[in-house]
Amino acid sequence: MLTFLDPPTAAGSSKLRVQLTYWWRHRRLAQLQKPLLFTEWVQHRKLHDRDPRMPILADKVRAKTFVAGSLGEGWVTPTLWEGATLPTEPAWDFPYVVKSRHGCGQFRVVRNREDHAEAIEQSRRWMRQSYGAWLDEWLYGEIERGLLVEPYIGDAAALPVDYKIFVFGGRARFVQVHLGRGEDHRWIVLDPDWNRVSPPTEDPDPERPATLDRMLEAAERLAAGFCFVRADFYEIGGQPRFGELTFYPGSGLERVEPPRLDLLMGLLWSAALPRWLEPIALLSA
């Protein structure tokens, strides 16, 4: 049933809405008929890509089964609980993490009873919302709404560094390293040889994770058969750990710096498109 939180038309159906949001963040219209930039290809995917695998792999519950089968159980953070309504009283040892299974960026670290009470209120909002509808992120509407609880991984004082690997045509091309998550959140983009490709910042280049090669190989295995997927990982206790698979990074609305990186990523996406599909993709725009 539609609510005031839902757009007037289904996610992925409005070129106007896609162009308005793109203009809002980039101050230009997207080339939707023949995408050139990475951020434009994300908009094209919103409108035209209905691959039935995407909702399965973006579902935080179902993705674990896929990853465990592809990489092994050791790559997957165990699930302590899943359901639609959090218990009133904490039922797990602190700290733990509450997430929605049907959204992106919807999580709460619970360190005490007060955090749990706030997580209950947050999770109720997550369950009411049609995540991604206004941004035309079609696949999230295809995922069953729900919640899950996981043990907190890593140092209890800070969220672990997040390694987001951009895979084009089955090849890992870039690693976006997210620092200061939950506080002063920022990121740096490097290539697989650990050379920085994003602009200089006050942060030194992050240390290369010891398990990077394993992460890159895992990302390529999980992303096989797609033009583009972003596969996210952590390094916990000297071991790689799967995070999630993302098909609309930043909804294509975050600026990619420098601009030539937006172009390079877009060209890699174009090159990964099967030749026999290319005319169909352009006609569908």
Side-chain angles (χ1 to χ4, degrees), residues 41-57:
W41 270 114
V42 175
Q43 311 313 312
H44 188 277
R45 170 174 272 175
K46 291 179 188 179
L47 291 169
H48 303 296
D49 194 344
R50 299 294 180 265
D51 190 320
R53 296 172 298 171
M54 295 199 304
I56 296 172
L57 298 181

Side-chain angles (χ1 to χ4, degrees), residues 8-245:
T9 56
S13 66
S14 174
K15 290 182 182 179
L16 175 61
R17 194 164 54 226
V18 165
Q19 286 288 23
L20 286 174
T21 55
Y22 194 83
W23 174 270
W24 166 56
R25 296 305 299 269
H26 296 289
R27 288 297 184 264
R28 63 177 183 271
L29 295 178
Q31 294 187 61
L32 296 177
Q33 185 171 357
K34 191 172 183 180
L36 184 63
L37 306 176
F38 173 78
T39 51
E40 293 173 336
W41 270 114
V42 175
Q43 311 313 312
H44 188 277
R45 170 174 272 175
K46 291 179 188 179
L47 291 169
H48 303 296
D49 194 344
R50 299 294 180 265
D51 190 320
R53 296 172 298 171
M54 295 199 304
I56 296 172
L57 298 181
D59 182 330
K60 291 183 177 60
V61 172
R62 300 179 73 183
K64 290 187 181 188
T65 302
F66 172 74
V67 173
S70 299
L71 305 178
E73 293 283 351
W75 287 81
V76 177
T77 300
T79 299
L80 300 175
W81 172 92
E82 64 178 273
T85 305
L86 277 180
T88 304
E89 294 295 320
W92 313 279
D93 293 335
F94 300 120
Y96 51 87
V97 180
V98 178
K99 298 180 177 180
S100 75
R101 68 182 290 179
H102 60 280
C104 188
Q106 293 181 333
F107 71 94
R108 175 65 187 252
V109 178
V110 177
R111 303 181 188 278
N112 50 51
R113 295 179 66 86
E114 291 74 17
D115 285 346
H116 184 83
E118 293 179 7
I120 290 175
E121 292 303 312
Q122 278 187 293
S123 64
R124 287 173 179 166
R125 292 194 295 272
W126 298 339
M127 290 297 290
R128 289 196 300 266
Q129 294 173 351
S130 178
Y131 182 86
W134 279 101
L135 295 180
D136 281 278
E137 295 174 337
W138 160 80
L139 70 83
Y140 293 109
E142 302 297 306
I143 300 173
E144 178 184 351
R145 295 189 195 183
L147 308 170
L148 65 154
V149 174
E150 296 176 347
Y152 185 89
I153 60 174
D155 181 353
L159 293 173
V161 175
D162 199 352
Y163 301 97
K164 301 180 182 294
I165 300 176
F166 287 62
V167 185
F168 297 90
R171 290 189 59 189
R173 297 286 192 166
F174 302 101
V175 184
Q176 191 180 55
V177 182
H178 283 240
L179 308 170
R181 297 168 59 233
E183 299 176 355
D184 181 19
H185 188 193
R186 60 211 186 273
W187 58 80
I188 295 167
V189 183
L190 303 103
D191 65 21
D193 294 323
W194 218 243
N195 301 303
R196 186 188 289 229
V197 296
S198 57
T201 63
E202 294 181 358
D203 290 301
D205 289 356
E207 183 177 350
R208 187 184 193 275
T211 61
L212 178 64
D213 290 341
R214 294 178 63 191
M215 292 183 197
L216 295 171
E217 181 182 353
E220 292 181 347
R221 185 178 302 179
L222 297 177
F226 290 99
C227 294
F228 166 77
V229 185
R230 195 191 75 196
D232 301 355
F233 299 90
Y234 310 103
E235 188 175 74
I236 306 298
Q239 297 297 320
R241 186 77 66 88
F242 170 76
E244 64 181 325
L245 294 172

